[in-house]
Amino acid sequence: MTEDLTGSKVTATQPVAVLSGTVFAPCRPMGEQQRGTGDYVVEMIPPVDTWGKEFVTVPLKKHTGDDLFRIVAARENTQVDVTNENSRTLNAGEFWEIDVPSDEYRHVSSSEPVLLVQYSKSGSADRTDTDPFMMVIPSVAQFESEYTFSTVDLVRGPSGSTHHINLVISSADKAGLRLDGQRLPSDAVWHDVPGTRYAATHLDVSSGTHTVHHLSPIATVGLFSYGFVSPESYGYPGGLRLARIAALCSTTAPVPADRVDNDCDGRVDEELLNGIDDDGDGLIDEDLARSNCADSRDQYRTCLQNRDQYRTCLQNRDQYRTCLQNRCRNLRP
């Protein structure tokens, strides 16, 4: 089959998984001849109810000949805005393919939920030791605050393989990021994403398993893991929430870290239990991340060591009782 099935609608009476891809793709723009090294590219497609309205694109390390992106709409009259591009309106099942220069960081926003996918091109497109892969880009609303991820062993010349991650985070939260428990390397170069509060960076990582987390449970980060050796590659989002932020919503009582949009604002678990409007929407403690003091002895020590968090736990008797109920009662510094 040679037809492009992008935009196809799949429904089922019971839960199913949908994977999309092709057995061999050089991943060049549609208007170009599809030639050069290619790969089997595939991704599991998230349910439409989990698609988002705001994204950040980050170029892939090593590439110099641009990165491909496709934006797929699920609903009629979806207006899509992309940095340095003219706006477009897509109907359900339509898609927009964009070839983004390798030195540009873009902001994508839409009036209705969309799916964004990034493609690594054939290494022959820019004479680099890279190859094609397909990678779903989660919306910023689906970012997590912690990840455990692993590199992929590449069969062709494993000793020459390179492994990389792209990180996206609010500029104000960069200092709290940790890679394998340590601060990010001092030579990490951050790039501001035009028109947004976000910044992004590339990092090289060694082969094996790694962790990325933020000291605050409400400071979320996008992580994308990928690697190359000629002529092989891999790429995948390091993790993502699958909250139903695009589904019909009704307000619910907040439960810490329930991954539910309790206040129907298109975001999930964005508040601390501290009597403060952390997300600036005029509501307080309405959609909670994990409890401030609760989940491990190390987190409780951190709470005590940090003056602001300490005040959060102890500023009044009711909040202290709540903290105790969230398993702090059995923890000792």
Side-chain angles (χ1 to χ4, degrees):
M1 178 179 291
T2 59
E3 293 84 357
D4 188 341
L5 299 180
T6 302
S8 299
K9 183 177 182 179
V10 178
T11 60
T13 58
Q14 297 292 330
V16 297
V18 176
L19 290 91
S20 177
T22 184
V23 293
F24 184 88
C27 291
R28 290 175 177 262
M30 290 184 295
E32 293 184 11
Q33 182 181 357
Q34 298 300 306
R35 57 185 175 82
T37 56
D39 268 333
Y40 170 57
V41 299
V42 65
E43 271 278 19
M44 186 173 288
I45 305 302
V48 170
D49 282 352
T50 67
W51 293 9
K53 297 181 181 181
E54 183 181 23
F55 305 81
V56 169
T57 75
V58 183
L60 299 172
K61 196 159 187 181
K62 299 187 74 171
H63 270 303
T64 61
D66 309 346
D67 296 300
L68 276 180
F69 293 85
R70 281 191 177 186
I71 303 165
V72 185
R75 299 176 184 170
E76 299 293 303
N77 298 313
T78 299
Q79 180 176 319
V80 183
D81 295 287
V82 180
T83 310
N84 296 335
E85 303 284 346
N86 294 323
S87 299
R88 287 198 184 184
T89 299
L90 303 177
N91 289 321
E94 293 182 338
F95 68 92
W96 181 8
E97 182 176 281
I98 305 173
D99 199 16
V100 177
S102 294
D103 60 351
E104 291 191 13
Y105 296 72
R106 300 278 185 94
H107 179 237
V108 177
S109 61
S110 60
S111 60
E112 299 289 345
V114 297
L115 176 71
L116 178 65
V117 179
Q118 183 171 10
Y119 299 87
S120 169
K121 291 183 180 180
S122 166
S124 60
D126 50 13
R127 297 183 180 180
T128 56
D129 290 332
T130 61
D131 225 27
F133 62 76
M134 171 184 177
M135 179 167 64
V136 168
I137 305 299
S139 70
V140 297
Q142 300 285 23
F143 287 178
E144 289 277 18
S145 61
E146 58 181 304
Y147 300 88
T148 298
F149 66 98
S150 180
T151 62
V152 175
D153 292 332
L154 296 170
V155 178
R156 286 283 190 94
S159 62
S161 301
T162 61
H163 306 283
H164 318 278
I165 58 173
N166 290 350
L167 298 174
V168 179
I169 194 169
S170 172
S171 296
D173 295 328
K174 292 185 295 187
L177 268 180
R178 297 293 183 267
L179 171 61
D180 297 330
Q182 305 297 315
R183 293 180 181 273
L184 267 56
S186 58
D187 59 353
V189 178
W190 288 96
H191 301 266
D192 291 331
V193 181
T196 77
R197 61 184 177 89
Y198 296 101
T201 188
H202 309 278
L203 294 177
D204 299 330
V205 295
S206 60
S207 61
T209 300
H210 301 275
T211 61
V212 166
H213 79 278
H214 198 280
L215 297 179
S216 169
I218 59 171
T220 57
V221 55
L223 187 150
F224 309 94
S225 173
Y226 58 100
F228 300 109
V229 69
S230 183
E232 285 189 286
S233 66
Y234 71 90
Y236 65 95
L240 68 157
R241 292 169 172 162
L242 284 171
R244 299 180 69 242
I245 57 175
L248 292 175
C249 183
S250 57
T251 57
T252 54
V255 175
D258 62 359
R259 296 182 181 232
V260 173
D261 183 8
N262 301 119
D263 56 343
C264 297
D265 66 350
R267 292 175 290 180
V268 177
D269 299 348
E270 69 269 20
E271 289 273 342
L272 295 174
L273 184 60
N274 57 7
I276 298 172
D277 180 11
D278 294 296
D279 61 350
D281 64 357
L283 302 175
I284 294 175
D285 299 347
E286 79 282 2
D287 199 344
L288 298 172
R290 67 173 184 265
S291 178
N292 297 52
C293 305
D295 298 323
S296 73
R297 186 171 286 110
D298 288 340
Q299 287 176 7
Y300 187 59
R301 287 197 188 104
T302 300
C303 184
L304 293 178
Q305 292 165 357
N306 184 298
R307 182 181 302 173
D308 291 335
Q309 287 182 314
Y310 183 67
R311 287 173 179 163
T312 294
C313 292
L314 302 180
Q315 63 187 201
N316 67 51
R317 184 171 299 170
D318 290 339
Q319 286 184 2
Y320 188 56
R321 286 199 187 103
T322 300
C323 187
L324 291 176
Q325 290 166 359
N326 285 322
R327 294 190 296 169
C328 283
R329 61 167 62 91
N330 296 320
L331 301 177
R332 297 293 184 269

